[in-house]
Amino acid sequence: MDKIYLNKLQFYGYHGVMPEENKLGQRFIVDLILELDLTKAGQSDDLNETVNYAEVYQIVKSIVEGKPSKLIEHLAEQLAAALLKSFSKIDFCTVKITKPDPPIPGCYESVAVEIRRGR
């Protein structure tokens, strides 16, 4: 299966279990792998035969910067469902959400969740 990668999309959201996360917000980094057949797009050079990256970005932005979720697992599920619903050409999508600097003592870099969903 062919793949489109959208790497290190960065957003500011208010997701988390802790009250300060919901009040102050924080950065979230989203990586996507969209699996679909790119043969026609490669042969025709026609945007209609693939997935428009700008449209993908806008969907992800609206969800990550929208209504807060307690868990990034929930946020990842929302993203996968929205992308599969919005783009019929996508067979599978992998969504990775990284939460830099989580409020966990001793965690000095990040935590992340990655899911893969398909039709």
Side-chain angles (χ1 to χ4, degrees):
M1 184 68 49
D2 302 323
K3 297 177 183 177
I4 294 173
Y5 294 82
L6 284 86
N7 301 312
K8 308 265 186 255
L9 305 177
Q10 207 165 148
F11 305 98
Y12 200 86
Y14 294 85
H15 312 286
V17 175
M18 307 297 259
E20 61 270 16
E21 294 176 294
N22 305 132
K23 183 178 179 183
L24 301 173
Q26 59 199 308
R27 283 184 313 129
F28 292 87
I29 300 166
V30 178
D31 295 289
L32 303 171
I33 302 172
L34 310 176
E35 297 179 49
L36 63 156
D37 186 350
L38 296 173
T39 304
K40 288 182 182 178
Q43 293 170 346
S44 68
D45 199 25
D46 182 354
L47 180 59
N48 294 315
E49 297 297 340
T50 187
V51 172
N52 185 324
Y53 313 153
E55 291 175 10
V56 170
Y57 177 86
Q58 287 304 318
I59 289 169
V60 174
K61 177 180 171 64
S62 70
I63 293 170
V64 178
E65 293 183 353
K67 183 180 175 185
S69 296
K70 291 178 183 163
L71 304 176
I72 57 175
E73 292 87 341
H74 181 256
L75 193 58
E77 286 289 346
Q78 288 184 298
L79 292 174
L83 293 172
L84 289 169
K85 181 180 178 185
S86 298
F87 302 99
S88 62
K89 287 181 172 48
I90 298 174
D91 294 315
F92 291 93
C93 68
T94 301
V95 176
K96 179 180 176 186
I97 300 177
T98 302
K99 187 176 188 174
D101 306 313
I104 302 170
C107 184
Y108 297 106
E109 188 174 311
S110 65
V111 295
V113 168
E114 180 176 296
I115 65 169
R116 182 176 184 262
R117 300 293 180 262
R119 302 198 176 280

